[in-house]
PDB file of all heavy atoms in Angstrom:
ATOM      1  N   THR A 406      -0.148  -3.755  24.013  1.00  0.00           N
ATOM      2  CA  THR A 406      -0.834  -4.999  24.364  1.00  0.00           C
ATOM      3  C   THR A 406      -1.476  -5.612  23.132  1.00  0.00           C
ATOM      4  O   THR A 406      -1.377  -6.832  22.897  1.00  0.00           O
ATOM      5  CB  THR A 406      -1.900  -4.738  25.442  1.00  0.00           C
ATOM      6  OG1 THR A 406      -1.283  -4.123  26.592  1.00  0.00           O
ATOM      7  CG2 THR A 406      -2.570  -6.034  25.880  1.00  0.00           C
ATOM      8  N   LEU A 407      -2.127  -4.799  22.324  1.00  0.00           N
ATOM      9  CA  LEU A 407      -2.741  -5.294  21.092  1.00  0.00           C
ATOM     10  C   LEU A 407      -1.683  -5.760  20.104  1.00  0.00           C
ATOM     11  O   LEU A 407      -1.813  -6.828  19.488  1.00  0.00           O
ATOM     12  CB  LEU A 407      -3.619  -4.215  20.465  1.00  0.00           C
ATOM     13  CG  LEU A 407      -4.207  -4.559  19.083  1.00  0.00           C
ATOM     14  CD1 LEU A 407      -5.057  -5.820  19.148  1.00  0.00           C
ATOM     15  CD2 LEU A 407      -5.029  -3.380  18.547  1.00  0.00           C
ATOM     16  N   LEU A 408      -0.638  -4.974  19.940  1.00  0.00           N
ATOM     17  CA  LEU A 408       0.394  -5.328  18.962  1.00  0.00           C
ATOM     18  C   LEU A 408       1.065  -6.647  19.342  1.00  0.00           C
ATOM     19  O   LEU A 408       1.327  -7.491  18.474  1.00  0.00           O
ATOM     20  CB  LEU A 408       1.427  -4.206  18.874  1.00  0.00           C
ATOM     21  CG  LEU A 408       2.235  -4.113  17.584  1.00  0.00           C
ATOM     22  CD1 LEU A 408       1.329  -3.827  16.399  1.00  0.00           C
ATOM     23  CD2 LEU A 408       3.305  -3.041  17.695  1.00  0.00           C
ATOM     24  N   ARG A 409       1.307  -6.838  20.624  1.00  0.00           N
ATOM     25  CA  ARG A 409       1.924  -8.088  21.066  1.00  0.00           C
ATOM     26  C   ARG A 409       0.974  -9.270  20.882  1.00  0.00           C
ATOM     27  O   ARG A 409       1.404 -10.385  20.586  1.00  0.00           O
ATOM     28  CB  ARG A 409       2.381  -7.967  22.525  1.00  0.00           C
ATOM     29  CG  ARG A 409       3.576  -7.019  22.694  1.00  0.00           C
ATOM     30  CD  ARG A 409       3.985  -6.894  24.146  1.00  0.00           C
ATOM     31  NE  ARG A 409       4.529  -8.160  24.649  1.00  0.00           N
ATOM     32  CZ  ARG A 409       5.770  -8.569  24.476  1.00  0.00           C
ATOM     33  NH1 ARG A 409       6.645  -7.819  23.807  1.00  0.00           N
ATOM     34  NH2 ARG A 409       6.186  -9.719  24.963  1.00  0.00           N
ATOM     35  N   ALA A 410      -0.325  -9.028  21.037  1.00  0.00           N
ATOM     36  CA  ALA A 410      -1.300 -10.095  20.763  1.00  0.00           C
ATOM     37  C   ALA A 410      -1.278 -10.463  19.282  1.00  0.00           C
ATOM     38  O   ALA A 410      -1.302 -11.643  18.912  1.00  0.00           O
ATOM     39  CB  ALA A 410      -2.693  -9.657  21.190  1.00  0.00           C
ATOM     40  N   MET A 411      -1.207  -9.454  18.417  1.00  0.00           N
ATOM     41  CA  MET A 411      -1.170  -9.704  16.981  1.00  0.00           C
ATOM     42  C   MET A 411       0.122 -10.398  16.566  1.00  0.00           C
ATOM     43  O   MET A 411       0.166 -11.090  15.550  1.00  0.00           O
ATOM     44  CB  MET A 411      -1.330  -8.386  16.223  1.00  0.00           C
ATOM     45  CG  MET A 411      -2.693  -7.730  16.428  1.00  0.00           C
ATOM     46  SD  MET A 411      -2.762  -6.033  15.796  1.00  0.00           S
ATOM     47  CE  MET A 411      -2.627  -6.308  14.037  1.00  0.00           C
ATOM     48  N   ALA A 412       1.186 -10.201  17.358  1.00  0.00           N
ATOM     49  CA  ALA A 412       2.469 -10.843  17.065  1.00  0.00           C
ATOM     50  C   ALA A 412       2.573 -12.229  17.695  1.00  0.00           C
ATOM     51  O   ALA A 412       3.610 -12.890  17.557  1.00  0.00           O
ATOM     52  CB  ALA A 412       3.610  -9.964  17.564  1.00  0.00           C
ATOM     53  N   GLY A 413       1.514 -12.661  18.382  1.00  0.00           N
ATOM     54  CA  GLY A 413       1.526 -13.975  19.011  1.00  0.00           C
ATOM     55  C   GLY A 413       2.277 -14.030  20.317  1.00  0.00           C
ATOM     56  O   GLY A 413       2.561 -15.112  20.835  1.00  0.00           O
ATOM     57  N   LEU A 414       2.593 -12.864  20.899  1.00  0.00           N
ATOM     58  CA  LEU A 414       3.363 -12.806  22.139  1.00  0.00           C
ATOM     59  C   LEU A 414       2.482 -12.622  23.364  1.00  0.00           C
ATOM     60  O   LEU A 414       2.970 -12.679  24.494  1.00  0.00           O
ATOM     61  CB  LEU A 414       4.378 -11.649  22.063  1.00  0.00           C
ATOM     62  CG  LEU A 414       5.369 -11.731  20.902  1.00  0.00           C
ATOM     63  CD1 LEU A 414       6.215 -10.475  20.843  1.00  0.00           C
ATOM     64  CD2 LEU A 414       6.248 -12.969  21.029  1.00  0.00           C
ATOM     65  N   ASN A 415       1.202 -12.373  23.151  1.00  0.00           N
ATOM     66  CA  ASN A 415       0.243 -12.201  24.243  1.00  0.00           C
ATOM     67  C   ASN A 415      -1.023 -12.946  23.856  1.00  0.00           C
ATOM     68  O   ASN A 415      -1.691 -12.585  22.898  1.00  0.00           O
ATOM     69  CB  ASN A 415      -0.049 -10.706  24.465  1.00  0.00           C
ATOM     70  CG  ASN A 415      -1.224 -10.488  25.395  1.00  0.00           C
ATOM     71  OD1 ASN A 415      -1.574 -11.357  26.204  1.00  0.00           O
ATOM     72  ND2 ASN A 415      -1.852  -9.325  25.290  1.00  0.00           N
ATOM     73  N   ARG A 416      -1.347 -13.997  24.576  1.00  0.00           N
ATOM     74  CA  ARG A 416      -2.494 -14.838  24.232  1.00  0.00           C
ATOM     75  C   ARG A 416      -3.638 -14.684  25.221  1.00  0.00           C
ATOM     76  O   ARG A 416      -4.548 -15.506  25.251  1.00  0.00           O
ATOM     77  CB  ARG A 416      -2.052 -16.299  24.135  1.00  0.00           C
ATOM     78  CG  ARG A 416      -0.976 -16.490  23.070  1.00  0.00           C
ATOM     79  CD  ARG A 416      -0.793 -17.926  22.664  1.00  0.00           C
ATOM     80  NE  ARG A 416       0.095 -18.028  21.512  1.00  0.00           N
ATOM     81  CZ  ARG A 416       0.252 -19.127  20.794  1.00  0.00           C
ATOM     82  NH1 ARG A 416      -0.401 -20.227  21.113  1.00  0.00           N
ATOM     83  NH2 ARG A 416       1.074 -19.149  19.765  1.00  0.00           N
ATOM     84  N   HIS A 417      -3.585 -13.622  26.016  1.00  0.00           N
ATOM     85  CA  HIS A 417      -4.635 -13.394  26.995  1.00  0.00           C
ATOM     86  C   HIS A 417      -5.726 -12.522  26.377  1.00  0.00           C
ATOM     87  O   HIS A 417      -5.811 -11.316  26.630  1.00  0.00           O
ATOM     88  CB  HIS A 417      -4.057 -12.745  28.254  1.00  0.00           C
ATOM     89  CG  HIS A 417      -3.009 -13.586  28.924  1.00  0.00           C
ATOM     90  ND1 HIS A 417      -3.293 -14.781  29.551  1.00  0.00           N
ATOM     91  CD2 HIS A 417      -1.662 -13.417  29.031  1.00  0.00           C
ATOM     92  CE1 HIS A 417      -2.189 -15.305  30.041  1.00  0.00           C
ATOM     93  NE2 HIS A 417      -1.180 -14.496  29.725  1.00  0.00           N
ATOM     94  N   TYR A 418      -6.532 -13.144  25.528  1.00  0.00           N
ATOM     95  CA  TYR A 418      -7.640 -12.446  24.895  1.00  0.00           C
ATOM     96  C   TYR A 418      -8.715 -13.460  24.542  1.00  0.00           C
ATOM     97  O   TYR A 418      -8.471 -14.675  24.551  1.00  0.00           O
ATOM     98  CB  TYR A 418      -7.180 -11.690  23.643  1.00  0.00           C
ATOM     99  CG  TYR A 418      -6.535 -12.555  22.581  1.00  0.00           C
ATOM    100  CD1 TYR A 418      -7.300 -13.298  21.667  1.00  0.00           C
ATOM    101  CD2 TYR A 418      -5.148 -12.625  22.468  1.00  0.00           C
ATOM    102  CE1 TYR A 418      -6.702 -14.084  20.692  1.00  0.00           C
ATOM    103  CE2 TYR A 418      -4.541 -13.419  21.493  1.00  0.00           C
ATOM    104  CZ  TYR A 418      -5.324 -14.137  20.610  1.00  0.00           C
ATOM    105  OH  TYR A 418      -4.733 -14.923  19.648  1.00  0.00           O
ATOM    106  N   THR A 419      -9.894 -12.950  24.229  1.00  0.00           N
ATOM    107  CA  THR A 419     -10.948 -13.797  23.686  1.00  0.00           C
ATOM    108  C   THR A 419     -11.237 -13.348  22.265  1.00  0.00           C
ATOM    109  O   THR A 419     -10.898 -12.234  21.870  1.00  0.00           O
ATOM    110  CB  THR A 419     -12.228 -13.727  24.538  1.00  0.00           C
ATOM    111  OG1 THR A 419     -12.702 -12.360  24.569  1.00  0.00           O
ATOM    112  CG2 THR A 419     -11.965 -14.194  25.966  1.00  0.00           C
ATOM    113  N   GLY A 420     -11.877 -14.205  21.496  1.00  0.00           N
ATOM    114  CA  GLY A 420     -12.015 -13.966  20.071  1.00  0.00           C
ATOM    115  C   GLY A 420     -10.862 -14.620  19.346  1.00  0.00           C
ATOM    116  O   GLY A 420     -10.128 -15.447  19.901  1.00  0.00           O
ATOM    117  N   ARG A 421     -10.672 -14.241  18.093  1.00  0.00           N
ATOM    118  CA  ARG A 421      -9.634 -14.870  17.284  1.00  0.00           C
ATOM    119  C   ARG A 421      -8.787 -13.831  16.571  1.00  0.00           C
ATOM    120  O   ARG A 421      -9.268 -12.772  16.184  1.00  0.00           O
ATOM    121  CB  ARG A 421     -10.245 -15.806  16.242  1.00  0.00           C
ATOM    122  CG  ARG A 421     -10.949 -17.036  16.802  1.00  0.00           C
ATOM    123  CD  ARG A 421     -11.436 -17.932  15.671  1.00  0.00           C
ATOM    124  NE  ARG A 421     -12.325 -17.201  14.763  1.00  0.00           N
ATOM    125  CZ  ARG A 421     -12.555 -17.547  13.496  1.00  0.00           C
ATOM    126  NH1 ARG A 421     -11.939 -18.593  12.969  1.00  0.00           N
ATOM    127  NH2 ARG A 421     -13.396 -16.849  12.751  1.00  0.00           N
ATOM    128  N   ILE A 422      -7.521 -14.169  16.399  1.00  0.00           N
ATOM    129  CA  ILE A 422      -6.619 -13.435  15.515  1.00  0.00           C
ATOM    130  C   ILE A 422      -6.170 -14.415  14.445  1.00  0.00           C
ATOM    131  O   ILE A 422      -5.617 -15.479  14.759  1.00  0.00           O
ATOM    132  CB  ILE A 422      -5.403 -12.874  16.274  1.00  0.00           C
ATOM    133  CG1 ILE A 422      -5.857 -11.899  17.364  1.00  0.00           C
ATOM    134  CG2 ILE A 422      -4.448 -12.177  15.299  1.00  0.00           C
ATOM    135  CD1 ILE A 422      -4.714 -11.376  18.221  1.00  0.00           C
ATOM    136  N   LEU A 423      -6.448 -14.074  13.203  1.00  0.00           N
ATOM    137  CA  LEU A 423      -6.076 -14.941  12.084  1.00  0.00           C
ATOM    138  C   LEU A 423      -4.866 -14.355  11.358  1.00  0.00           C
ATOM    139  O   LEU A 423      -4.842 -13.163  11.046  1.00  0.00           O
ATOM    140  CB  LEU A 423      -7.236 -15.090  11.098  1.00  0.00           C
ATOM    141  CG  LEU A 423      -8.566 -15.603  11.656  1.00  0.00           C
ATOM    142  CD1 LEU A 423      -9.593 -15.717  10.532  1.00  0.00           C
ATOM    143  CD2 LEU A 423      -8.388 -16.947  12.358  1.00  0.00           C
ATOM    144  N   ALA A 424      -3.889 -15.185  11.102  1.00  0.00           N
ATOM    145  CA  ALA A 424      -2.710 -14.790  10.336  1.00  0.00           C
ATOM    146  C   ALA A 424      -2.681 -15.634   9.071  1.00  0.00           C
ATOM    147  O   ALA A 424      -2.527 -16.852   9.137  1.00  0.00           O
ATOM    148  CB  ALA A 424      -1.441 -15.008  11.154  1.00  0.00           C
ATOM    149  N   GLY A 425      -2.882 -15.000   7.932  1.00  0.00           N
ATOM    150  CA  GLY A 425      -2.959 -15.748   6.680  1.00  0.00           C
ATOM    151  C   GLY A 425      -4.100 -16.743   6.670  1.00  0.00           C
ATOM    152  O   GLY A 425      -4.014 -17.793   6.030  1.00  0.00           O
ATOM    153  N   GLY A 426      -5.176 -16.418   7.377  1.00  0.00           N
ATOM    154  CA  GLY A 426      -6.341 -17.283   7.443  1.00  0.00           C
ATOM    155  C   GLY A 426      -6.271 -18.359   8.506  1.00  0.00           C
ATOM    156  O   GLY A 426      -7.239 -19.113   8.701  1.00  0.00           O
ATOM    157  N   ASN A 427      -5.142 -18.452   9.230  1.00  0.00           N
ATOM    158  CA  ASN A 427      -4.950 -19.468  10.259  1.00  0.00           C
ATOM    159  C   ASN A 427      -5.063 -18.854  11.654  1.00  0.00           C
ATOM    160  O   ASN A 427      -4.560 -17.748  11.887  1.00  0.00           O
ATOM    161  CB  ASN A 427      -3.578 -20.128  10.114  1.00  0.00           C
ATOM    162  CG  ASN A 427      -3.390 -20.791   8.772  1.00  0.00           C
ATOM    163  OD1 ASN A 427      -4.120 -21.707   8.422  1.00  0.00           O
ATOM    164  ND2 ASN A 427      -2.411 -20.321   8.005  1.00  0.00           N
ATOM    165  N   ASN A 428      -5.696 -19.574  12.554  1.00  0.00           N
ATOM    166  CA  ASN A 428      -5.804 -19.111  13.934  1.00  0.00           C
ATOM    167  C   ASN A 428      -4.403 -19.000  14.528  1.00  0.00           C
ATOM    168  O   ASN A 428      -3.662 -19.981  14.607  1.00  0.00           O
ATOM    169  CB  ASN A 428      -6.648 -20.094  14.746  1.00  0.00           C
ATOM    170  CG  ASN A 428      -7.014 -19.546  16.120  1.00  0.00           C
ATOM    171  OD1 ASN A 428      -6.247 -18.811  16.747  1.00  0.00           O
ATOM    172  ND2 ASN A 428      -8.198 -19.898  16.593  1.00  0.00           N
ATOM    173  N   LEU A 429      -4.043 -17.795  14.961  1.00  0.00           N
ATOM    174  CA  LEU A 429      -2.692 -17.538  15.442  1.00  0.00           C
ATOM    175  C   LEU A 429      -2.332 -18.445  16.612  1.00  0.00           C
ATOM    176  O   LEU A 429      -1.185 -18.890  16.745  1.00  0.00           O
ATOM    177  CB  LEU A 429      -2.562 -16.068  15.850  1.00  0.00           C
ATOM    178  CG  LEU A 429      -1.169 -15.542  16.178  1.00  0.00           C
ATOM    179  CD1 LEU A 429      -0.220 -15.725  15.010  1.00  0.00           C
ATOM    180  CD2 LEU A 429      -1.244 -14.071  16.572  1.00  0.00           C
ATOM    181  N   GLN A 430      -3.301 -18.743  17.460  1.00  0.00           N
ATOM    182  CA  GLN A 430      -3.016 -19.563  18.632  1.00  0.00           C
ATOM    183  C   GLN A 430      -2.734 -21.017  18.281  1.00  0.00           C
ATOM    184  O   GLN A 430      -2.225 -21.774  19.112  1.00  0.00           O
ATOM    185  CB  GLN A 430      -4.168 -19.472  19.636  1.00  0.00           C
ATOM    186  CG  GLN A 430      -4.323 -18.096  20.250  1.00  0.00           C
ATOM    187  CD  GLN A 430      -5.125 -18.117  21.531  1.00  0.00           C
ATOM    188  OE1 GLN A 430      -5.467 -19.168  22.046  1.00  0.00           O
ATOM    189  NE2 GLN A 430      -5.424 -16.945  22.062  1.00  0.00           N
ATOM    190  N   ARG A 431      -3.072 -21.432  17.072  1.00  0.00           N
ATOM    191  CA  ARG A 431      -2.844 -22.816  16.663  1.00  0.00           C
ATOM    192  C   ARG A 431      -1.606 -22.989  15.802  1.00  0.00           C
ATOM    193  O   ARG A 431      -1.267 -24.116  15.429  1.00  0.00           O
ATOM    194  CB  ARG A 431      -4.073 -23.336  15.918  1.00  0.00           C
ATOM    195  CG  ARG A 431      -5.319 -23.405  16.796  1.00  0.00           C
ATOM    196  CD  ARG A 431      -6.517 -23.889  16.004  1.00  0.00           C
ATOM    197  NE  ARG A 431      -7.719 -23.919  16.846  1.00  0.00           N
ATOM    198  CZ  ARG A 431      -8.945 -24.164  16.391  1.00  0.00           C
ATOM    199  NH1 ARG A 431      -9.129 -24.409  15.098  1.00  0.00           N
ATOM    200  NH2 ARG A 431      -9.970 -24.157  17.219  1.00  0.00           N
ATOM    201  N   LEU A 432      -0.938 -21.900  15.485  1.00  0.00           N
ATOM    202  CA  LEU A 432       0.275 -21.996  14.678  1.00  0.00           C
ATOM    203  C   LEU A 432       1.453 -22.427  15.541  1.00  0.00           C
ATOM    204  O   LEU A 432       1.624 -21.955  16.671  1.00  0.00           O
ATOM    205  CB  LEU A 432       0.600 -20.646  14.031  1.00  0.00           C
ATOM    206  CG  LEU A 432      -0.300 -20.162  12.893  1.00  0.00           C
ATOM    207  CD1 LEU A 432       0.170 -18.801  12.410  1.00  0.00           C
ATOM    208  CD2 LEU A 432      -0.320 -21.155  11.747  1.00  0.00           C
ATOM    209  N   HIS A 433       2.273 -23.327  15.017  1.00  0.00           N
ATOM    210  CA  HIS A 433       3.519 -23.667  15.691  1.00  0.00           C
ATOM    211  C   HIS A 433       4.478 -22.478  15.596  1.00  0.00           C
ATOM    212  O   HIS A 433       4.350 -21.609  14.726  1.00  0.00           O
ATOM    213  CB  HIS A 433       4.149 -24.903  15.053  1.00  0.00           C
ATOM    214  CG  HIS A 433       3.325 -26.138  15.196  1.00  0.00           C
ATOM    215  ND1 HIS A 433       3.013 -26.685  16.422  1.00  0.00           N
ATOM    216  CD2 HIS A 433       2.744 -26.934  14.273  1.00  0.00           C
ATOM    217  CE1 HIS A 433       2.285 -27.772  16.241  1.00  0.00           C
ATOM    218  NE2 HIS A 433       2.094 -27.949  14.949  1.00  0.00           N
ATOM    219  N   ALA A 434       5.442 -22.439  16.498  1.00  0.00           N
ATOM    220  CA  ALA A 434       6.387 -21.318  16.545  1.00  0.00           C
ATOM    221  C   ALA A 434       7.096 -21.129  15.204  1.00  0.00           C
ATOM    222  O   ALA A 434       7.275 -19.998  14.737  1.00  0.00           O
ATOM    223  CB  ALA A 434       7.408 -21.548  17.660  1.00  0.00           C
ATOM    224  N   ALA A 435       7.483 -22.216  14.563  1.00  0.00           N
ATOM    225  CA  ALA A 435       8.185 -22.117  13.283  1.00  0.00           C
ATOM    226  C   ALA A 435       7.274 -21.553  12.194  1.00  0.00           C
ATOM    227  O   ALA A 435       7.707 -20.752  11.358  1.00  0.00           O
ATOM    228  CB  ALA A 435       8.717 -23.488  12.865  1.00  0.00           C
ATOM    229  N   GLU A 436       5.996 -21.944  12.211  1.00  0.00           N
ATOM    230  CA  GLU A 436       5.040 -21.419  11.232  1.00  0.00           C
ATOM    231  C   GLU A 436       4.827 -19.930  11.449  1.00  0.00           C
ATOM    232  O   GLU A 436       4.775 -19.137  10.495  1.00  0.00           O
ATOM    233  CB  GLU A 436       3.713 -22.163  11.353  1.00  0.00           C
ATOM    234  CG  GLU A 436       3.774 -23.628  10.970  1.00  0.00           C
ATOM    235  CD  GLU A 436       2.486 -24.362  11.264  1.00  0.00           C
ATOM    236  OE1 GLU A 436       1.881 -24.143  12.345  1.00  0.00           O
ATOM    237  OE2 GLU A 436       2.052 -25.148  10.402  1.00  0.00           O
ATOM    238  N   GLN A 437       4.688 -19.544  12.702  1.00  0.00           N
ATOM    239  CA  GLN A 437       4.468 -18.130  13.022  1.00  0.00           C
ATOM    240  C   GLN A 437       5.683 -17.290  12.628  1.00  0.00           C
ATOM    241  O   GLN A 437       5.537 -16.179  12.123  1.00  0.00           O
ATOM    242  CB  GLN A 437       4.175 -17.976  14.507  1.00  0.00           C
ATOM    243  CG  GLN A 437       3.859 -16.550  14.917  1.00  0.00           C
ATOM    244  CD  GLN A 437       3.523 -16.449  16.382  1.00  0.00           C
ATOM    245  OE1 GLN A 437       2.766 -17.256  16.918  1.00  0.00           O
ATOM    246  NE2 GLN A 437       4.084 -15.458  17.052  1.00  0.00           N
ATOM    247  N   ALA A 438       6.886 -17.836  12.847  1.00  0.00           N
ATOM    248  CA  ALA A 438       8.110 -17.102  12.535  1.00  0.00           C
ATOM    249  C   ALA A 438       8.268 -16.862  11.045  1.00  0.00           C
ATOM    250  O   ALA A 438       8.968 -15.937  10.632  1.00  0.00           O
ATOM    251  CB  ALA A 438       9.322 -17.859  13.072  1.00  0.00           C
ATOM    252  N   ARG A 439       7.627 -17.690  10.224  1.00  0.00           N
ATOM    253  CA  ARG A 439       7.659 -17.477   8.782  1.00  0.00           C
ATOM    254  C   ARG A 439       6.524 -16.579   8.319  1.00  0.00           C
ATOM    255  O   ARG A 439       6.506 -16.165   7.164  1.00  0.00           O
ATOM    256  CB  ARG A 439       7.588 -18.832   8.062  1.00  0.00           C
ATOM    257  CG  ARG A 439       8.839 -19.679   8.208  1.00  0.00           C
ATOM    258  CD  ARG A 439       8.719 -20.962   7.405  1.00  0.00           C
ATOM    259  NE  ARG A 439       9.945 -21.744   7.424  1.00  0.00           N
ATOM    260  CZ  ARG A 439      10.216 -22.701   8.287  1.00  0.00           C
ATOM    261  NH1 ARG A 439       9.307 -23.020   9.206  1.00  0.00           N
ATOM    262  NH2 ARG A 439      11.361 -23.352   8.243  1.00  0.00           N
ATOM    263  N   MET A 440       5.587 -16.295   9.208  1.00  0.00           N
ATOM    264  CA  MET A 440       4.414 -15.497   8.857  1.00  0.00           C
ATOM    265  C   MET A 440       4.570 -14.035   9.247  1.00  0.00           C
ATOM    266  O   MET A 440       4.135 -13.146   8.530  1.00  0.00           O
ATOM    267  CB  MET A 440       3.177 -16.090   9.549  1.00  0.00           C
ATOM    268  CG  MET A 440       1.860 -15.537   9.046  1.00  0.00           C
ATOM    269  SD  MET A 440       1.535 -16.117   7.360  1.00  0.00           S
ATOM    270  CE  MET A 440       0.282 -14.957   6.843  1.00  0.00           C
ATOM    271  N   MET A 441       5.202 -13.790  10.416  1.00  0.00           N
ATOM    272  CA  MET A 441       5.307 -12.408  10.879  1.00  0.00           C
ATOM    273  C   MET A 441       6.585 -12.202  11.672  1.00  0.00           C
ATOM    274  O   MET A 441       7.093 -13.118  12.322  1.00  0.00           O
ATOM    275  CB  MET A 441       4.097 -12.025  11.726  1.00  0.00           C
ATOM    276  CG  MET A 441       3.931 -12.855  12.986  1.00  0.00           C
ATOM    277  SD  MET A 441       2.496 -12.326  13.954  1.00  0.00           S
ATOM    278  CE  MET A 441       1.159 -12.752  12.841  1.00  0.00           C
ATOM    279  N   SER A 442       7.109 -10.992  11.578  1.00  0.00           N
ATOM    280  CA  SER A 442       8.265 -10.594  12.375  1.00  0.00           C
ATOM    281  C   SER A 442       7.861  -9.418  13.239  1.00  0.00           C
ATOM    282  O   SER A 442       6.957  -8.653  12.895  1.00  0.00           O
ATOM    283  CB  SER A 442       9.454 -10.243  11.485  1.00  0.00           C
ATOM    284  OG  SER A 442       9.085  -9.304  10.490  1.00  0.00           O
ATOM    285  N   PHE A 443       8.524  -9.281  14.381  1.00  0.00           N
ATOM    286  CA  PHE A 443       8.153  -8.272  15.374  1.00  0.00           C
ATOM    287  C   PHE A 443       9.393  -7.494  15.786  1.00  0.00           C
ATOM    288  O   PHE A 443      10.434  -8.074  16.086  1.00  0.00           O
ATOM    289  CB  PHE A 443       7.525  -8.956  16.592  1.00  0.00           C
ATOM    290  CG  PHE A 443       7.161  -8.016  17.711  1.00  0.00           C
ATOM    291  CD1 PHE A 443       6.065  -7.173  17.592  1.00  0.00           C
ATOM    292  CD2 PHE A 443       7.909  -7.987  18.878  1.00  0.00           C
ATOM    293  CE1 PHE A 443       5.725  -6.315  18.616  1.00  0.00           C
ATOM    294  CE2 PHE A 443       7.570  -7.123  19.911  1.00  0.00           C
ATOM    295  CZ  PHE A 443       6.476  -6.290  19.777  1.00  0.00           C
ATOM    296  N   VAL A 444       9.262  -6.181  15.809  1.00  0.00           N
ATOM    297  CA  VAL A 444      10.332  -5.303  16.271  1.00  0.00           C
ATOM    298  C   VAL A 444       9.811  -4.584  17.513  1.00  0.00           C
ATOM    299  O   VAL A 444       8.880  -3.774  17.428  1.00  0.00           O
ATOM    300  CB  VAL A 444      10.751  -4.282  15.195  1.00  0.00           C
ATOM    301  CG1 VAL A 444      11.846  -3.361  15.736  1.00  0.00           C
ATOM    302  CG2 VAL A 444      11.225  -4.993  13.936  1.00  0.00           C
ATOM    303  N   GLY A 445      10.387  -4.892  18.662  1.00  0.00           N
ATOM    304  CA  GLY A 445       9.940  -4.302  19.914  1.00  0.00           C
ATOM    305  C   GLY A 445      10.585  -2.967  20.202  1.00  0.00           C
ATOM    306  O   GLY A 445      11.278  -2.386  19.353  1.00  0.00           O
TER     307      GLY A 445
END
Side-chain angles (χ1 to χ4, degrees):
T406 304
L407 174 59
L408 203 63
R409 290 179 67 82
M411 295 169 68
L414 302 174
N415 169 23
R416 300 196 171 192
H417 300 292
Y418 58 81
T419 60
R421 294 184 303 157
I422 299 176
L423 304 181
N427 301 299
N428 191 326
L429 189 58
Q430 293 199 7
R431 296 178 181 173
L432 289 179
H433 296 298
E436 294 173 318
Q437 183 178 315
R439 290 183 175 92
M440 192 70 197
M441 61 179 66
S442 52
F443 177 73
V444 178

